[in-house]
Amino acid sequence: GTLPGDMLYPVKVSINEEVRSFVAFSDEAQARWDTRRVERRLEEVEELAAGGRLNTETRADMESRFESHAQAFEERAEKIKTKQDTQSSLEVLSNFETSLKAHEQILTQIASEKESVKGEVDPLLVKVRIKLNAATKTRSDAEAKVSAEANGEFKNAAEGKLGAAENKIAEVRKYLARVKSSVSA
């Protein structure tokens, strides 16, 4: 629960969070952790801003950490996408987008209510909006791909059923041709 400026904050971000990062084994787990780290930095900014304690130095540090964590998330999400795991990619992208959207709204509210920190919140808010727009586009592209894959799967399944039906009809025709002489009208 430490915040920037607290004595134990470096331990939190440099040791505890790094150890936690090592135990996220899969790409999906690491993407979820990167999302959580972005959330943590934004929560810290929100708490400092709400308390009127956000200054230029702290904001610059938080902005840098936010960018770093968001970049790590984007790289991890790209790895998941490259593995052709569209469903997992869509899930982590949706979670990231939702988180950014929520924090963007909170920061907007804080900036509008607390004039004393508006100058410090606004630059970070711009960065959050840029990442949010990118996440929205990437998630939208992933949704389109999932939809296309689903349509392709349905088409393939329908074509398979049609082929099976055609084969069965051909079998029945051959059977009828063989037994035609022994079957009456």
Side-chain angles (χ1 to χ4, degrees), residues 73-182:
F73 169 83
E74 290 166 352
E75 290 169 5
R76 192 68 59 180
E78 185 61 33
K79 261 182 133 175
I80 295 167
K81 181 178 143 189
T82 301
K83 286 199 271 182
Q84 301 298 317
D85 192 350
T86 311
Q87 194 62 40
S88 292
S89 176
L90 179 58
E91 182 182 326
V92 296
L93 288 166
S94 293
N95 291 341
F96 187 69
E97 177 188 11
T98 302
S99 178
L100 288 178
K101 198 174 289 186
H103 287 287
E104 186 261 346
Q105 290 173 353
I106 293 167
L107 287 170
T108 299
Q109 184 175 349
I110 290 171
S112 71
E113 292 174 357
K114 291 216 169 256
E115 281 295 319
S116 62
V117 294
K118 182 175 174 34
E120 297 302 331
V121 172
D122 282 346
L124 184 60
L125 197 48
V126 168
K127 301 267 186 197
V128 170
R129 287 178 176 149
I130 289 169
K131 293 296 183 185
L132 175 58
N133 290 337
T136 300
K137 181 182 180 338
T138 306
R139 190 250 328 132
S140 179
D141 293 347
E143 276 182 352
K145 186 174 180 181
V146 166
S147 179
E149 287 175 358
N151 288 340
E153 288 174 14
F154 290 136
K155 182 180 176 186
N156 288 342
E159 287 173 351
K161 296 278 186 192
L162 178 61
E166 288 171 346
N167 288 339
K168 191 54 108 175
I169 290 170
E171 284 178 32
V172 170
R173 283 191 175 140
K174 287 179 187 176
Y175 174 75
L176 288 175
R178 275 196 327 260
V179 295
K180 185 178 182 182
S181 61
S182 63

Side-chain angles (χ1 to χ4, degrees), residues 11 33 38:
V11 173
W33 175 238
V38 165

